[in-house]
């Protein structure tokens, strides 16, 4: 039996190459070997105030991004989270074994509390990691391919699965995070000490998956670099290391091979080559996205939901029986 992987992306804000390299690029490779389930997690997107029309548009857009990136609906199940109500039901049950201090430790809650005050945090945002745990363990997921920022949530999913198993008997598989060193934390182009982020203040922080060639050239030209002039891959040069990582991941080379390509050359040569590598990835990707009709994508999402629903239903029934519900 193939091992199962599950992952998802929130339809909130523009996706950037950090999301692609940290998550989707790995999914595309893993789908060959694993029983793969990829979700557009719309129920997570409503944990912050949002506009319904924009949410609808973004939900379809994320599904198109999955498909244009190479996720193959013949090999995987792709679906919208809110289509499968078992996610919400299991989250409620897990709420009854999750503890407030566990959720208070979560980075997103802490950041928002510091930034806007605890009073402004909605219960949905506070509880979001429990819903994420439900997403994962509902499918007996073994591996969860994500970026580094999600590892904390997967730790909680492991903890809740173990706690449930201990209280009610063996029910859930204990999931593990899957990350790759070079891609788990793509940093901001304007500040290599912080991760590339959808919610960054400056658009010079990220390359959006929707950026055109000119914008990419402009952003890479402005990207901060370290002191010195040689193209070296080293922890002492975090800005350059990040740019080399992006180059190597998009051009299927090791960081060492990228270094070798630029021996005797300076930052300007490296940056203009990097911009072209990004454009060579983005242009065909954007073309594939534009060719996908809403109808076709909706059909894929409905088929995907049907495929996963039977797994979700069976697992939830088992859970309900174990906790004493009459099913
Ligand atoms: P989200 O939507 O914020 O991010 C989607 C994916 O992109 C990764 N990522 C990055 N990877 C590398 N470098 C970066 N700078 C970077 N920024 C983002 C994230 O780690 C993530 O893998 N809670 C999740 C969505 C979710 C989920 C799930 C994921 C809900 N349920 C179940 C896995 C399994 C989130 O908000 O990701």
């Amino acid at each position: 039996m193939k091992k199962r992987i599950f992952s998802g992306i929130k339809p909130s804000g523009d996706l950037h190459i950090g999301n692609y390299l940290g998550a989707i690029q790995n999914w595309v490779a893993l789908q060959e070997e694993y029983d793969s389930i990829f979700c557009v997690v719309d129920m997570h997107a409503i944990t912050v105030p949002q506009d319904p029309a924009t949410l609808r548009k973004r939900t379809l857009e994320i599904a198109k991004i999955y498909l244009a990136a190479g996720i193959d609906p013949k090999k995987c199940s792709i679906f919208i989270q809110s289509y499968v109500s078992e996610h919400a039901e299991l989250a409620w049950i897990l709420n009854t074994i999750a503890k407030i201090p566990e959720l208070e430790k979560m980075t997103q809650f802490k950041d928002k509390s510091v930034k806007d005050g605890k009073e402004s945090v909605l219960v949905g945002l506070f509880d979001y990691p429990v819903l994420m745990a439900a997403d994962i363990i509902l499918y007996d997921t073994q591996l969860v391919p994500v970026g580094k920022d999600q590892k904390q949530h997967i730790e909680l999913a492991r903890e809740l699965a173990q706690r449930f198993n201990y209280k009610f008997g063996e029910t859930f598989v204990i999931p593990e995070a899957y990350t790759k060193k070079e891609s788990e934390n793509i940093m901001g182009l304007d500040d290599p000490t912080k991760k590339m982020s959808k919610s960054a203040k400056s658009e010079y922080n990220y390359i959006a998956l929707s950026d055109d060639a000119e914008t990419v050239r402009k952003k890479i030209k402005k990207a901060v670099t370290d002191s010195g002039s040689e193209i070296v891959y080293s922890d002492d040069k975090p800005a350059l290391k990040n740019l080399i990582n992006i180059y190597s991941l998009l051009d299927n080379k090791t960081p060492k091979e990228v270094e070798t390509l630029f021996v005797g050359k300076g930052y300007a040569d490296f940056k203009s080559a990097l911009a072209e590598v990004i454009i060579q990835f983005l242009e065909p990707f954007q073309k594939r996205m534009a060719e996908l009709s809403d109808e076709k994508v909706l059909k894929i999402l409905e088929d995907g939901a049907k495929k996963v629903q039977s797994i979700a239903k069976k697992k939830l029934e088992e859970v309900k029986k174990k906790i004493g519900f009459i099913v």
Side-chain angles (χ1 to χ4, degrees), residues 231-254:
I231 309 305
V232 281
Y233 188 73
S234 131
D235 287 336
D236 306 336
K237 297 187 184 292
L240 199 53
K241 185 176 177 189
N242 188 45
L243 297 179
I244 294 176
N245 275 336
I246 295 172
Y247 193 121
S248 71
L249 291 160
L250 287 178
D251 206 31
N252 205 14
K253 291 187 167 56
T254 64

PDB file of all heavy atoms in Angstrom, residues 231-254:
ATOM      1  N   ILE A 231      29.859  35.142  -5.903  1.00  0.00           N
ATOM      2  CA  ILE A 231      28.629  34.367  -5.738  1.00  0.00           C
ATOM      3  C   ILE A 231      28.979  33.104  -4.935  1.00  0.00           C
ATOM      4  O   ILE A 231      29.470  32.122  -5.497  1.00  0.00           O
ATOM      5  CB  ILE A 231      28.028  33.986  -7.125  1.00  0.00           C
ATOM      6  CG1 ILE A 231      27.913  35.228  -8.012  1.00  0.00           C
ATOM      7  CG2 ILE A 231      26.685  33.283  -6.974  1.00  0.00           C
ATOM      8  CD1 ILE A 231      27.133  36.385  -7.410  1.00  0.00           C
ATOM      9  N   VAL A 232      28.811  33.192  -3.621  1.00  0.00           N
ATOM     10  CA  VAL A 232      29.132  32.044  -2.764  1.00  0.00           C
ATOM     11  C   VAL A 232      27.918  31.657  -1.923  1.00  0.00           C
ATOM     12  O   VAL A 232      27.150  32.509  -1.480  1.00  0.00           O
ATOM     13  CB  VAL A 232      30.333  32.318  -1.815  1.00  0.00           C
ATOM     14  CG1 VAL A 232      31.647  32.183  -2.528  1.00  0.00           C
ATOM     15  CG2 VAL A 232      30.196  33.666  -1.139  1.00  0.00           C
ATOM     16  N   TYR A 233      27.790  30.345  -1.719  1.00  0.00           N
ATOM     17  CA  TYR A 233      26.653  29.796  -0.960  1.00  0.00           C
ATOM     18  C   TYR A 233      27.119  29.561   0.455  1.00  0.00           C
ATOM     19  O   TYR A 233      27.839  28.596   0.727  1.00  0.00           O
ATOM     20  CB  TYR A 233      26.232  28.491  -1.630  1.00  0.00           C
ATOM     21  CG  TYR A 233      24.953  27.890  -1.099  1.00  0.00           C
ATOM     22  CD1 TYR A 233      23.727  28.454  -1.398  1.00  0.00           C
ATOM     23  CD2 TYR A 233      24.984  26.732  -0.317  1.00  0.00           C
ATOM     24  CE1 TYR A 233      22.548  27.884  -0.937  1.00  0.00           C
ATOM     25  CE2 TYR A 233      23.807  26.157   0.147  1.00  0.00           C
ATOM     26  CZ  TYR A 233      22.592  26.746  -0.173  1.00  0.00           C
ATOM     27  OH  TYR A 233      21.422  26.184   0.281  1.00  0.00           O
ATOM     28  N   SER A 234      26.739  30.462   1.357  1.00  0.00           N
ATOM     29  CA  SER A 234      27.246  30.309   2.722  1.00  0.00           C
ATOM     30  C   SER A 234      26.283  30.948   3.721  1.00  0.00           C
ATOM     31  O   SER A 234      25.571  31.909   3.400  1.00  0.00           O
ATOM     32  CB  SER A 234      28.642  30.944   2.790  1.00  0.00           C
ATOM     33  OG  SER A 234      28.748  31.801   3.883  1.00  0.00           O
ATOM     34  N   ASP A 235      26.303  30.397   4.947  1.00  0.00           N
ATOM     35  CA  ASP A 235      25.433  30.934   5.998  1.00  0.00           C
ATOM     36  C   ASP A 235      25.790  32.372   6.360  1.00  0.00           C
ATOM     37  O   ASP A 235      24.956  33.103   6.890  1.00  0.00           O
ATOM     38  CB  ASP A 235      25.530  30.064   7.262  1.00  0.00           C
ATOM     39  CG  ASP A 235      24.811  28.741   7.051  1.00  0.00           C
ATOM     40  OD1 ASP A 235      23.909  28.691   6.191  1.00  0.00           O
ATOM     41  OD2 ASP A 235      25.169  27.762   7.728  1.00  0.00           O
ATOM     42  N   ASP A 236      27.044  32.771   6.072  1.00  0.00           N
ATOM     43  CA  ASP A 236      27.448  34.160   6.367  1.00  0.00           C
ATOM     44  C   ASP A 236      26.805  35.140   5.406  1.00  0.00           C
ATOM     45  O   ASP A 236      26.888  36.345   5.596  1.00  0.00           O
ATOM     46  CB  ASP A 236      28.974  34.357   6.194  1.00  0.00           C
ATOM     47  CG  ASP A 236      29.740  33.363   7.004  1.00  0.00           C
ATOM     48  OD1 ASP A 236      29.156  32.874   7.981  1.00  0.00           O
ATOM     49  OD2 ASP A 236      30.900  33.062   6.647  1.00  0.00           O
ATOM     50  N   LYS A 237      26.271  34.612   4.307  1.00  0.00           N
ATOM     51  CA  LYS A 237      25.667  35.499   3.303  1.00  0.00           C
ATOM     52  C   LYS A 237      24.216  35.071   3.068  1.00  0.00           C
ATOM     53  O   LYS A 237      23.889  34.456   2.048  1.00  0.00           O
ATOM     54  CB  LYS A 237      26.469  35.441   1.998  1.00  0.00           C
ATOM     55  CG  LYS A 237      27.903  35.950   2.156  1.00  0.00           C
ATOM     56  CD  LYS A 237      28.599  36.045   0.833  1.00  0.00           C
ATOM     57  CE  LYS A 237      30.056  36.453   0.985  1.00  0.00           C
ATOM     58  NZ  LYS A 237      30.236  37.825   1.445  1.00  0.00           N
ATOM     59  N   PRO A 238      23.364  35.384   4.033  1.00  0.00           N
ATOM     60  CA  PRO A 238      21.988  34.859   3.980  1.00  0.00           C
ATOM     61  C   PRO A 238      21.172  35.352   2.779  1.00  0.00           C
ATOM     62  O   PRO A 238      20.347  34.601   2.254  1.00  0.00           O
ATOM     63  CB  PRO A 238      21.359  35.339   5.298  1.00  0.00           C
ATOM     64  CG  PRO A 238      22.235  36.435   5.783  1.00  0.00           C
ATOM     65  CD  PRO A 238      23.604  36.180   5.255  1.00  0.00           C
ATOM     66  N   ALA A 239      21.422  36.581   2.349  1.00  0.00           N
ATOM     67  CA  ALA A 239      20.631  37.106   1.226  1.00  0.00           C
ATOM     68  C   ALA A 239      20.987  36.347  -0.051  1.00  0.00           C
ATOM     69  O   ALA A 239      20.127  35.891  -0.804  1.00  0.00           O
ATOM     70  CB  ALA A 239      20.898  38.598   1.048  1.00  0.00           C
ATOM     71  N   LEU A 240      22.301  36.179  -0.254  1.00  0.00           N
ATOM     72  CA  LEU A 240      22.769  35.484  -1.446  1.00  0.00           C
ATOM     73  C   LEU A 240      22.382  33.996  -1.397  1.00  0.00           C
ATOM     74  O   LEU A 240      21.956  33.408  -2.402  1.00  0.00           O
ATOM     75  CB  LEU A 240      24.296  35.628  -1.503  1.00  0.00           C
ATOM     76  CG  LEU A 240      24.960  35.388  -2.844  1.00  0.00           C
ATOM     77  CD1 LEU A 240      24.336  36.237  -3.936  1.00  0.00           C
ATOM     78  CD2 LEU A 240      26.456  35.696  -2.735  1.00  0.00           C
ATOM     79  N   LYS A 241      22.475  33.434  -0.220  1.00  0.00           N
ATOM     80  CA  LYS A 241      22.118  32.026  -0.044  1.00  0.00           C
ATOM     81  C   LYS A 241      20.658  31.803  -0.469  1.00  0.00           C
ATOM     82  O   LYS A 241      20.337  30.842  -1.172  1.00  0.00           O
ATOM     83  CB  LYS A 241      22.308  31.629   1.430  1.00  0.00           C
ATOM     84  CG  LYS A 241      22.075  30.167   1.669  1.00  0.00           C
ATOM     85  CD  LYS A 241      22.371  29.776   3.095  1.00  0.00           C
ATOM     86  CE  LYS A 241      22.033  28.302   3.246  1.00  0.00           C
ATOM     87  NZ  LYS A 241      22.075  27.841   4.600  1.00  0.00           N
ATOM     88  N   ASN A 242      19.808  32.731  -0.068  1.00  0.00           N
ATOM     89  CA  ASN A 242      18.387  32.626  -0.418  1.00  0.00           C
ATOM     90  C   ASN A 242      18.193  32.717  -1.938  1.00  0.00           C
ATOM     91  O   ASN A 242      17.446  31.930  -2.529  1.00  0.00           O
ATOM     92  CB  ASN A 242      17.638  33.761   0.290  1.00  0.00           C
ATOM     93  CG  ASN A 242      16.138  33.647   0.175  1.00  0.00           C
ATOM     94  OD1 ASN A 242      15.568  32.573   0.346  1.00  0.00           O
ATOM     95  ND2 ASN A 242      15.482  34.749  -0.151  1.00  0.00           N
ATOM     96  N   LEU A 243      18.899  33.655  -2.563  1.00  0.00           N
ATOM     97  CA  LEU A 243      18.753  33.812  -4.021  1.00  0.00           C
ATOM     98  C   LEU A 243      19.299  32.575  -4.750  1.00  0.00           C
ATOM     99  O   LEU A 243      18.718  32.106  -5.729  1.00  0.00           O
ATOM    100  CB  LEU A 243      19.462  35.085  -4.509  1.00  0.00           C
ATOM    101  CG  LEU A 243      18.914  36.421  -3.957  1.00  0.00           C
ATOM    102  CD1 LEU A 243      19.715  37.599  -4.490  1.00  0.00           C
ATOM    103  CD2 LEU A 243      17.435  36.597  -4.297  1.00  0.00           C
ATOM    104  N   ILE A 244      20.403  32.038  -4.242  1.00  0.00           N
ATOM    105  CA  ILE A 244      20.963  30.827  -4.868  1.00  0.00           C
ATOM    106  C   ILE A 244      19.997  29.648  -4.692  1.00  0.00           C
ATOM    107  O   ILE A 244      19.788  28.848  -5.609  1.00  0.00           O
ATOM    108  CB  ILE A 244      22.373  30.494  -4.307  1.00  0.00           C
ATOM    109  CG1 ILE A 244      23.365  31.591  -4.697  1.00  0.00           C
ATOM    110  CG2 ILE A 244      22.866  29.126  -4.800  1.00  0.00           C
ATOM    111  CD1 ILE A 244      24.768  31.429  -4.125  1.00  0.00           C
ATOM    112  N   ASN A 245      19.377  29.574  -3.524  1.00  0.00           N
ATOM    113  CA  ASN A 245      18.376  28.512  -3.320  1.00  0.00           C
ATOM    114  C   ASN A 245      17.258  28.621  -4.359  1.00  0.00           C
ATOM    115  O   ASN A 245      16.861  27.614  -4.954  1.00  0.00           O
ATOM    116  CB  ASN A 245      17.767  28.609  -1.915  1.00  0.00           C
ATOM    117  CG  ASN A 245      18.621  27.899  -0.871  1.00  0.00           C
ATOM    118  OD1 ASN A 245      19.384  26.997  -1.200  1.00  0.00           O
ATOM    119  ND2 ASN A 245      18.494  28.306   0.372  1.00  0.00           N
ATOM    120  N   ILE A 246      16.753  29.830  -4.557  1.00  0.00           N
ATOM    121  CA  ILE A 246      15.660  30.010  -5.514  1.00  0.00           C
ATOM    122  C   ILE A 246      16.123  29.585  -6.919  1.00  0.00           C
ATOM    123  O   ILE A 246      15.436  28.849  -7.623  1.00  0.00           O
ATOM    124  CB  ILE A 246      15.167  31.486  -5.511  1.00  0.00           C
ATOM    125  CG1 ILE A 246      14.557  31.828  -4.146  1.00  0.00           C
ATOM    126  CG2 ILE A 246      14.170  31.739  -6.640  1.00  0.00           C
ATOM    127  CD1 ILE A 246      14.213  33.300  -3.941  1.00  0.00           C
ATOM    128  N   TYR A 247      17.318  30.029  -7.277  1.00  0.00           N
ATOM    129  CA  TYR A 247      17.875  29.677  -8.590  1.00  0.00           C
ATOM    130  C   TYR A 247      17.971  28.157  -8.719  1.00  0.00           C
ATOM    131  O   TYR A 247      17.492  27.552  -9.695  1.00  0.00           O
ATOM    132  CB  TYR A 247      19.260  30.312  -8.729  1.00  0.00           C
ATOM    133  CG  TYR A 247      19.850  30.300 -10.122  1.00  0.00           C
ATOM    134  CD1 TYR A 247      20.203  31.487 -10.760  1.00  0.00           C
ATOM    135  CD2 TYR A 247      20.085  29.106 -10.809  1.00  0.00           C
ATOM    136  CE1 TYR A 247      20.741  31.496 -12.039  1.00  0.00           C
ATOM    137  CE2 TYR A 247      20.630  29.097 -12.084  1.00  0.00           C
ATOM    138  CZ  TYR A 247      20.952  30.299 -12.685  1.00  0.00           C
ATOM    139  OH  TYR A 247      21.492  30.292 -13.948  1.00  0.00           O
ATOM    140  N   SER A 248      18.572  27.527  -7.725  1.00  0.00           N
ATOM    141  CA  SER A 248      18.847  26.086  -7.840  1.00  0.00           C
ATOM    142  C   SER A 248      17.546  25.275  -7.879  1.00  0.00           C
ATOM    143  O   SER A 248      17.435  24.314  -8.629  1.00  0.00           O
ATOM    144  CB  SER A 248      19.774  25.612  -6.720  1.00  0.00           C
ATOM    145  OG  SER A 248      19.086  25.618  -5.502  1.00  0.00           O
ATOM    146  N   LEU A 249      16.560  25.690  -7.101  1.00  0.00           N
ATOM    147  CA  LEU A 249      15.293  24.929  -7.065  1.00  0.00           C
ATOM    148  C   LEU A 249      14.520  25.081  -8.374  1.00  0.00           C
ATOM    149  O   LEU A 249      13.865  24.146  -8.827  1.00  0.00           O
ATOM    150  CB  LEU A 249      14.432  25.403  -5.888  1.00  0.00           C
ATOM    151  CG  LEU A 249      14.970  25.045  -4.494  1.00  0.00           C
ATOM    152  CD1 LEU A 249      14.349  25.932  -3.421  1.00  0.00           C
ATOM    153  CD2 LEU A 249      14.715  23.572  -4.178  1.00  0.00           C
ATOM    154  N   LEU A 250      14.585  26.263  -8.971  1.00  0.00           N
ATOM    155  CA  LEU A 250      13.817  26.465 -10.217  1.00  0.00           C
ATOM    156  C   LEU A 250      14.554  25.934 -11.435  1.00  0.00           C
ATOM    157  O   LEU A 250      13.943  25.613 -12.450  1.00  0.00           O
ATOM    158  CB  LEU A 250      13.510  27.957 -10.424  1.00  0.00           C
ATOM    159  CG  LEU A 250      12.442  28.545  -9.500  1.00  0.00           C
ATOM    160  CD1 LEU A 250      12.268  30.032  -9.755  1.00  0.00           C
ATOM    161  CD2 LEU A 250      11.096  27.831  -9.686  1.00  0.00           C
ATOM    162  N   ASP A 251      15.883  25.829 -11.331  1.00  0.00           N
ATOM    163  CA  ASP A 251      16.650  25.388 -12.496  1.00  0.00           C
ATOM    164  C   ASP A 251      17.181  23.966 -12.307  1.00  0.00           C
ATOM    165  O   ASP A 251      18.030  23.516 -13.092  1.00  0.00           O
ATOM    166  CB  ASP A 251      17.803  26.370 -12.743  1.00  0.00           C
ATOM    167  CG  ASP A 251      18.230  26.379 -14.197  1.00  0.00           C
ATOM    168  OD1 ASP A 251      17.369  26.146 -15.072  1.00  0.00           O
ATOM    169  OD2 ASP A 251      19.435  26.598 -14.464  1.00  0.00           O
ATOM    170  N   ASN A 252      16.671  23.295 -11.275  1.00  0.00           N
ATOM    171  CA  ASN A 252      17.039  21.907 -11.042  1.00  0.00           C
ATOM    172  C   ASN A 252      18.545  21.682 -10.974  1.00  0.00           C
ATOM    173  O   ASN A 252      19.097  20.795 -11.627  1.00  0.00           O
ATOM    174  CB  ASN A 252      16.410  21.048 -12.157  1.00  0.00           C
ATOM    175  CG  ASN A 252      16.215  19.626 -11.697  1.00  0.00           C
ATOM    176  OD1 ASN A 252      16.292  19.354 -10.500  1.00  0.00           O
ATOM    177  ND2 ASN A 252      15.987  18.725 -12.629  1.00  0.00           N
ATOM    178  N   LYS A 253      19.215  22.535 -10.189  1.00  0.00           N
ATOM    179  CA  LYS A 253      20.662  22.405  -9.984  1.00  0.00           C
ATOM    180  C   LYS A 253      20.929  22.405  -8.488  1.00  0.00           C
ATOM    181  O   LYS A 253      20.085  22.858  -7.717  1.00  0.00           O
ATOM    182  CB  LYS A 253      21.383  23.613 -10.597  1.00  0.00           C
ATOM    183  CG  LYS A 253      21.347  23.675 -12.097  1.00  0.00           C
ATOM    184  CD  LYS A 253      22.238  24.813 -12.595  1.00  0.00           C
ATOM    185  CE  LYS A 253      22.492  24.725 -14.077  1.00  0.00           C
ATOM    186  NZ  LYS A 253      21.260  24.703 -14.882  1.00  0.00           N
ATOM    187  N   THR A 254      22.107  21.927  -8.096  1.00  0.00           N
ATOM    188  CA  THR A 254      22.455  22.046  -6.684  1.00  0.00           C
ATOM    189  C   THR A 254      23.007  23.458  -6.460  1.00  0.00           C
ATOM    190  O   THR A 254      23.504  24.094  -7.412  1.00  0.00           O
ATOM    191  CB  THR A 254      23.541  21.029  -6.281  1.00  0.00           C
ATOM    192  OG1 THR A 254      24.724  21.359  -7.024  1.00  0.00           O
ATOM    193  CG2 THR A 254      23.129  19.596  -6.581  1.00  0.00           C
TER     194      THR A 254
END
